[in-house]
Amino acid sequence: MTYDDYLAGKKVILTVATTGGVHGKDANPNLPEQPEEIARDVRDCERLGASIAHVHGRDEYGENSAAHLQAVNDAIRDECEDVIIQNTTGGQSAYESRVRGIRTDPPPEMASLDMGPFNRGQHIITEHTRHNIESLAREMRERGIKPELEAFNNGHLNESHRLIDLGLLEEPYYINLIFGSGTFSMPRPRNLLNLVDNLPENSEFNVLATGRHQLPLTTMAVLLGGHVRVGMEDNLYFERGRPAESNAQLVERSVEVIERLGREIATPEEARAILGID
């Protein structure tokens, strides 16, 4: 995807990541944690234009819990019309926890697939080997789940190319370029340009940037013909010193930016067509 895609008016897939597995209501009381809370937020975001919901589960105490993904999926299906559910297979160190994200009933249409270990503050992910990654990719293919490849840095983009070379992925490849602190790619405009230049052929890309970098780098993604992820998993603030009131507030702003820049928002059905989801 390139600037030409922007000029051609290719539609933008907007993903909302409502919850995550790191911070909780102590960081922002508006962060949804329980299934019904998350589902209501996803419903409001879908109505504004989000076509994909990136999903994490939390237990009754607000702690990250892959075992609660089924309950969140069920609640989203009850509340929403057609949003694409993208379950996480990241954030947990053990493979047995990661794989729960693709074994819900029914399975999600999409799932995230971390391309390697990473460090985010004090939350260190250490047990994510190539064997795990390949096993998750194979099972996703068997279950008809579209993987979103999570490239937290340049090395993870290399690993995306490796999975393609192994024949474990189907076109178009969907790659999420991630910017922030720790071992994420440094949030600089030139770094985004460089990663886009090194994407595999026949791929679509999405941009995720944490904190104050969310708005500028996702705006760049729109201009480069890419797609956008926003939400309180990645950014708890609407602007400096002003906590986000809801995920819908962040989605609404992104929709306004996208439309002001001359692109349209993809519906869930259009997103499926762009990503090759049956």
Side-chain angles (χ1 to χ4, degrees), residues 205-226:
F205 78 93
N206 183 64
V207 168
L208 177 174
T210 61
R212 63 180 180 172
H213 306 290
Q214 184 173 85
L215 181 59
L217 292 184
T218 55
T219 300
M220 276 190 67
V222 177
L223 293 172
L224 294 172

Side-chain angles (χ1 to χ4, degrees), residues 99-110 136-146:
V99 78
R100 282 179 177 266
I102 55 176
R103 292 182 180 173
T104 52
D105 184 20
E109 293 183 82
M110 296 184 71
L136 286 166
R138 287 190 179 93
E139 187 164 339
M140 287 185 198
R141 187 174 60 182
E142 291 167 1
R143 292 176 176 266
I145 299 168
K146 183 73 176 184

Side-chain angles (χ1 to χ4, degrees), residues 257-269:
V257 169
I258 291 164
E259 291 179 343
R260 283 182 177 272
L261 289 174
R263 292 183 70 187
E264 296 180 40
I265 304 294
T267 66
E269 195 59 33

Side-chain angles (χ1 to χ4, degrees), residues 237-251:
Y237 288 84
F238 185 72
E239 58 190 18
R240 187 186 298 270
R242 181 182 169 190
E245 297 173 6
S246 65
N247 281 287
Q249 185 186 36
L250 298 172
V251 167

Side-chain angles (χ1 to χ4, degrees), residues 42-63:
V42 172
R43 176 200 63 198
D44 293 343
C45 293
E46 181 187 26
R47 290 173 178 172
L48 289 167
S51 56
I52 299 174
H54 176 71
V55 179
H56 284 254
R58 300 285 186 102
D59 66 18
E60 59 270 30
Y61 305 107
E63 296 297 322

Side-chain angles (χ1 to χ4, degrees), residues 171-184:
E171 298 177 358
Y173 316 117
Y174 195 45
I175 300 176
N176 190 23
L177 304 176
I178 302 171
F179 299 85
S181 59
T183 52
F184 293 12

Side-chain angles (χ1 to χ4, degrees), residues 16-20 23-26 28-46 53-63 68 71-80 232 245-248:
V16 61
T18 61
T19 307
H23 40 249
K25 289 183 179 294
D26 55 330
N28 185 325
N30 300 317
L31 181 87
E33 290 182 342
Q34 300 308 307
E36 293 74 20
E37 286 184 289
I38 295 170
R40 287 193 297 269
D41 258 27
V42 172
R43 176 200 63 198
D44 293 343
C45 293
E46 181 187 26
H54 176 71
V55 179
H56 284 254
R58 300 285 186 102
D59 66 18
E60 59 270 30
Y61 305 107
E63 296 297 322
H68 287 72
V72 180
N73 283 195
D74 292 343
I76 290 173
R77 290 190 176 97
D78 286 343
E79 285 282 353
C80 299
M232 295 176 72
E245 297 173 6
S246 65
N247 281 287

